[in-house]
């Protein structure tokens, strides 16, 4: 009797443990490590220790422009309204094959603010990476800051970036924090809830995740929407490359491998904030996450070929995090099919529903803890704004679950398609796939009937 009980208990634990408890356990351990480190070493303490600068260096801001007529003026105005001397800021707009009125918006802005040091570099449609590199080649500042044309900088963003660099000579590159440019809590439509989930996700990612990476000097990505570099460091690097769809992650890995000598470090400056346009639709969210995921896969594959191979990648925090994250993504996907299938194997429906409810509650607790720790790191004004949407945390486990599916799609696409910066929405991809399948079937039928005819 005992042997039968032991065998069944072991089989039960292995079954549930591998597919459900193991990912949850790993997520819990990682969350506790992140939160304890960030709680013990908050960035606000570092910020309080930074004295006012007696000298403010010259800064060059590069803005890649591609059909940005709707957002460019707001982006440029946020740069000149910085709490940083305007005469110490150079703005370089690099036109990347725009077909709209972006240049007219730039000209309008230049006429309205004639004392601003601005430059317009126009090129053929060559990609964001080459546009950024073209801007970097004409910089004059001691520091270069990249800002997407659909982003809006907080008024202290450049000052906080420069203060961090000047205070820490070992800091060679940094990313700012990204938040969505939307009034929080005013509306509760479906798309608004998606935006609020996106905002809390960014808050946790930068105030907890990348803060932890900064403390361990293993920053994974210098955000393409808002990052800063020392002039000599960026010019000695290969700058931005087109070989992946995630040029920012590629550059981050390159700097870590070839530039971080001795005590040099990269960090996230979460008090330097850029606001970006929120995702306009569910399909755009899909496109964004697919690009992020396939970019990570492509970059990890590139650097796995370097000296040391897979073993060297596993010895680094970023490599371990990427491998664990992607591996667990597959096991999470099985929850969608495996747990409901248990009902057809004879498990009571109440048990199946309890399993889903248990998973939801566990991840809800983790999300609440993440949210509280991230909120503690936020600036006072922003903290008041984001408290208005605290209730959105109840939607986060579901939101993350769906984004895991998008990431899985990114993994599959990285293995089957050439790298492209923009990804079509899932409906369009499905339509194209069906059309291609239909065309192939018709072609094969014609060949068969043609060969069969006398």
């Amino acid at each position: 009797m005992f042997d039968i009980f032991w065998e069944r208990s072991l089989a039960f634990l292995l079954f549930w443990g591998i597919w459900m408890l193991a990912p949850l356990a790993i997520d819990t351990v990682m969350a506790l490590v992140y939160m304890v480190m960030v709680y013990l070493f908050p960035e606000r303490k570092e910020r309080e220790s930074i004295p006012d600068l007696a000298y403010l260096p010259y800064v060059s801001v590069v803005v890649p422009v591609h059909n940005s007529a709707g957002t460019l003026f707001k982006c440029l105005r946020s740069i000149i309204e910085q709490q940083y001397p305007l005469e110490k800021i150079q703005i370089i707009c690099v036109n990347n094959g725009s077909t709209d009125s972006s240049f007219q918006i730039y000209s309008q802005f230049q006429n309205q603010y004639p004392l601003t040091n601005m430059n317009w570099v126009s090129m053929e449609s060559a990609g964001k990476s080459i546009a950024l590199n073209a801007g970097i080649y004409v910089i004059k500042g001691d520091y270069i800051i990249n800002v997407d044309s659909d982003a809006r900088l907080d008024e202290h963003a450049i000052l906080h970036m420069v203060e961090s660099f000047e205070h820490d000579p070992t800091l060679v590159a940094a990313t700012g924090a990204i938040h969505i440019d939307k009034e929080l809590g005013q509306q509760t439509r479906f798309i608004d809830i998606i935006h609020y989930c996106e905002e809390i996700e960014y808050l946790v990612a930068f105030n907890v995740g990348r803060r932890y990476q900064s403390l361990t000097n293993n920053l994974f990505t210098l955000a393409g929407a808002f990052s800063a570099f020392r002039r000599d460091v960026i010019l000695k690097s290969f700058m931005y490359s087109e070989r992946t769809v995630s040029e920012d992650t590629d550059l981050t890995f390159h700097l870590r491998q070839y530039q971080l000598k001795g005590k040099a470090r990269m960090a996230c400056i979460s008090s330097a904030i850029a606001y970006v346009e929120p995702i306009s639709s569910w399909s755009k969210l899909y496109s964004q996450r697919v690009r992020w995921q396939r970019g990570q896969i492509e970059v990890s594959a590139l650097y796995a070929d370097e000296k040391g191979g897979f073993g060297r990648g596993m010895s680094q925090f970023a490599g371990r995090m990427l491998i664990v994250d992607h591996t667990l993504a597959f096991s999470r996907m099985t929850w969608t099919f495996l747990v409901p299938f248990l009902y057809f194997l004879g498990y009571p429906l109440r048990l199946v529903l309890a399993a889903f409810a248990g998973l939801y509650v566990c991840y809800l607790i983790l999300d609440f803890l993440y949210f509280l720790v991230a909120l503690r790191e936020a600036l006072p004004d922003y903290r008041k704004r984001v408290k208005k949407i605290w209730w959105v945390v109840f939607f986060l486990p579901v939101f993350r679950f769906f984004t895991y599916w998008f990431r899985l799609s990114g993994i599959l696409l990285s293995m089957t398609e050439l790298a492209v910066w923009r990804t079509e929405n899932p409906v369009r991809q499905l339509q194209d796939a069906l059309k291609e399948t239909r065309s192939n079937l018709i072609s094969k039928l014609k060949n068969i009937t043609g060969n069969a005819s006398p």
Side-chain angles (χ1 to χ4, degrees):
M1 178 66 69
F2 178 78
D3 291 340
I4 296 176
F5 174 78
W6 172 251
E7 289 179 2
R8 290 184 177 180
S9 299
L10 183 61
F12 178 85
L13 289 174
L14 287 174
F15 178 80
W16 290 93
I18 291 173
W19 297 110
M20 295 184 65
L21 301 182
L24 177 60
I26 294 175
D27 283 340
T28 301
V29 171
M30 292 177 63
L32 291 176
V33 171
Y34 281 27
M35 288 186 284
V36 169
M37 285 284 289
V38 173
Y39 187 86
L40 294 177
F41 304 99
E43 186 194 330
R44 55 188 175 81
K45 286 189 176 180
E46 292 183 8
R47 180 62 48 193
E48 292 170 359
S49 66
I50 298 178
D52 293 336
L53 297 179
Y55 167 76
L56 295 176
Y58 200 72
V59 174
S60 295
V61 182
V62 177
V63 182
V65 178
H66 179 76
N67 293 338
S68 307
T71 59
L72 183 59
F73 195 94
K74 180 172 63 175
C75 173
L76 296 176
R77 187 168 59 189
S78 75
I79 297 173
I80 69 167
E81 290 179 349
Q82 291 292 298
Q83 297 298 313
Y84 200 88
L86 185 57
E87 64 273 13
K88 295 292 186 73
I89 299 177
Q90 175 195 21
I91 303 175
I92 306 168
C93 294
V94 185
N95 178 39
N96 179 24
S98 295
T99 56
D100 64 356
S101 58
S102 294
F103 180 72
Q104 285 73 20
I105 298 298
Y106 169 84
S107 301
Q108 177 187 343
F109 185 89
Q110 195 173 39
N111 291 333
Q112 191 168 338
Y113 301 97
L115 298 180
T116 306
N117 181 3
M118 299 180 64
N119 302 268
W120 178 271
V121 179
S122 189
M123 2 176 7
E124 298 294 333
S125 182
K128 182 181 178 181
S129 300
I130 296 179
L132 284 168
N133 292 341
I136 292 171
Y137 281 125
V138 296
I139 62 173
K140 298 178 180 178
D142 298 314
Y143 299 104
I144 172 177
I145 296 177
N146 297 334
V147 179
D148 277 355
S149 56
D150 63 349
R152 173 179 64 86
L153 294 182
D154 176 78
E155 62 178 351
H156 295 97
I158 292 180
L159 178 62
H160 285 174
M161 271 290 190
V162 173
E163 285 178 339
S164 297
F165 278 100
E166 291 290 294
H167 178 68
D168 184 1
T170 65
L171 185 63
V172 298
T175 178
I178 307 300
H179 297 295
I180 66 169
D181 192 7
K182 181 185 180 80
E183 188 63 35
L184 302 177
Q186 287 191 343
Q187 296 178 303
T188 56
R189 299 170 301 171
F190 176 75
I191 191 63
D192 296 313
I193 294 175
I194 296 297
H195 292 164
Y196 300 156
C197 287
E198 186 183 8
E199 175 59 26
I200 295 180
E201 184 185 39
Y202 284 164
L203 172 67
V204 171
F206 286 94
N207 285 21
V208 179
R210 295 197 187 183
R211 174 59 182 166
Y212 175 80
Q213 294 172 17
S214 300
L215 290 170
T216 56
N217 198 19
N218 279 290
L219 190 69
F220 192 82
T221 299
L222 293 160
F226 178 38
S227 293
F229 307 84
R230 292 188 185 273
R231 175 191 177 95
D232 58 334
V233 170
I234 192 67
L235 291 178
K236 288 179 182 178
S237 72
F238 68 9
M239 297 191 287
Y240 288 96
S241 170
E242 288 189 300
R243 56 184 184 170
T244 76
V245 298
S246 186
E247 69 285 338
D248 45 7
T249 304
D250 191 6
L251 178 59
T252 307
F253 271 61
H254 171 77
L255 291 177
R256 176 182 295 110
Q257 189 154 332
Y258 296 105
Q259 299 288 338
L260 298 191
K261 305 298 182 182
K263 296 182 178 180
R265 55 187 291 265
M266 292 184 288
C268 172
I269 312 302
S270 59
S271 58
I273 300 172
Y275 298 94
V276 300
E277 293 291 314
I279 294 297
S280 59
S281 65
W282 189 253
S283 61
K284 291 292 181 63
L285 177 66
Y286 168 86
S287 300
Q288 179 195 67
R289 300 311 165 93
V290 166
R291 183 175 63 82
W292 287 359
Q293 189 71 23
R294 70 180 298 169
Q296 290 179 356
I297 293 291
E298 290 166 358
V299 171
S300 62
L302 283 172
Y303 288 87
D305 293 334
E306 299 289 346
K307 185 177 180 180
F310 181 80
R312 182 172 180 176
M314 280 295 291
S315 67
Q316 298 178 351
F317 169 77
R320 294 194 301 272
M321 182 181 70
L322 185 63
I323 292 170
V324 170
D325 185 50
H326 291 169
T327 302
L328 291 181
F330 285 98
S331 60
R332 292 185 181 107
M333 295 305 101
T334 62
W335 297 345
T336 307
F337 301 108
L338 183 60
V339 177
F341 187 66
L342 295 178
Y343 173 73
F344 299 100
L345 295 179
Y347 283 82
L349 179 62
R350 186 175 300 176
L351 178 61
V352 174
L353 295 177
F356 272 120
L359 283 172
Y360 171 79
V361 171
C362 289
Y363 278 101
L364 178 63
I365 293 172
L366 286 181
D367 281 326
F368 259 114
L369 292 175
Y370 267 130
F371 177 68
L372 293 175
V373 174
L375 200 61
R376 180 174 176 264
E377 279 283 273
L379 297 175
D381 291 341
Y382 175 76
R383 191 181 303 135
K384 292 179 182 178
R385 291 179 55 234
V386 80
K387 280 183 178 179
K388 298 177 182 178
I389 57 169
W390 66 269
W391 49 270
V392 178
V393 178
F394 287 97
F395 293 90
L396 277 179
V398 179
F399 175 80
R400 295 186 192 280
F401 179 76
F402 279 103
T403 58
Y404 285 138
W405 275 104
F406 298 165
R407 289 165 51 191
L408 179 64
S409 178
I411 295 173
L412 297 177
L413 287 174
S414 68
M415 297 184 293
T416 58
E417 294 184 2
L418 295 175
V420 290
W421 204 87
R422 299 184 182 276
T423 305
E424 294 177 349
N425 64 63
V427 176
R428 176 65 59 81
Q429 285 186 320
L430 179 60
Q431 290 175 343
D432 290 345
L434 291 175
K435 287 180 181 179
E436 184 176 356
T437 302
R438 180 174 177 271
S439 299
N440 291 337
L441 287 174
I442 292 175
S443 178
K444 289 180 179 180
L445 287 174
K446 287 182 177 179
N447 290 336
I448 292 173
T449 56
N451 293 333
S453 60

